[in-house]
Amino acid sequence: MGFISLFDNLLKKLPIQDRKERWKNELENITKEREKLIKETWDAKKGQRIYYINNRITELSQLLKNSI
């Protein structure tokens, strides 16, 4: 029993993110990346990346909305 409580205390101290926190962090990061890409001159590669980011933002927003 001592090992289990020691292990439990150790897990509480580790900076482990839950699923929603990871989604929020990803959403923040890709939003910043999107803003940076929009300010630069565009080419096909950047256009594809912005398209992917827009879709991912929509997906993450829906996941966060549904998890509340």
Side-chain angles (χ1 to χ4, degrees):
M1 186 117 168
F3 176 73
I4 293 174
S5 63
L6 177 67
F7 185 71
D8 190 40
N9 286 337
L10 181 63
L11 281 178
K12 289 179 184 176
K13 293 180 181 180
L14 291 175
I16 299 174
Q17 295 178 338
D18 67 336
R19 182 175 49 179
K20 286 190 249 180
E21 192 64 33
R22 284 193 307 267
W23 291 339
K24 288 178 185 177
N25 289 340
E26 182 183 357
L27 184 60
E28 180 182 336
N29 290 336
I30 63 174
T31 303
K32 288 178 185 176
E33 180 183 356
R34 180 180 176 272
E35 290 171 3
K36 180 183 166 226
L37 288 173
I38 287 175
K39 291 178 184 175
E40 298 174 357
T41 51
W42 284 33
D43 58 12
K45 187 176 180 181
K46 287 180 186 173
Q48 289 176 342
R49 181 67 182 155
I50 290 172
Y51 178 77
Y52 168 78
I53 289 173
N54 287 339
N55 289 337
R56 187 65 180 152
I57 287 173
T58 302
E59 181 182 327
L60 288 171
S61 298
Q62 188 65 40
L63 286 170
L64 288 168
K65 181 180 169 186
N66 290 341
S67 69
I68 295 175

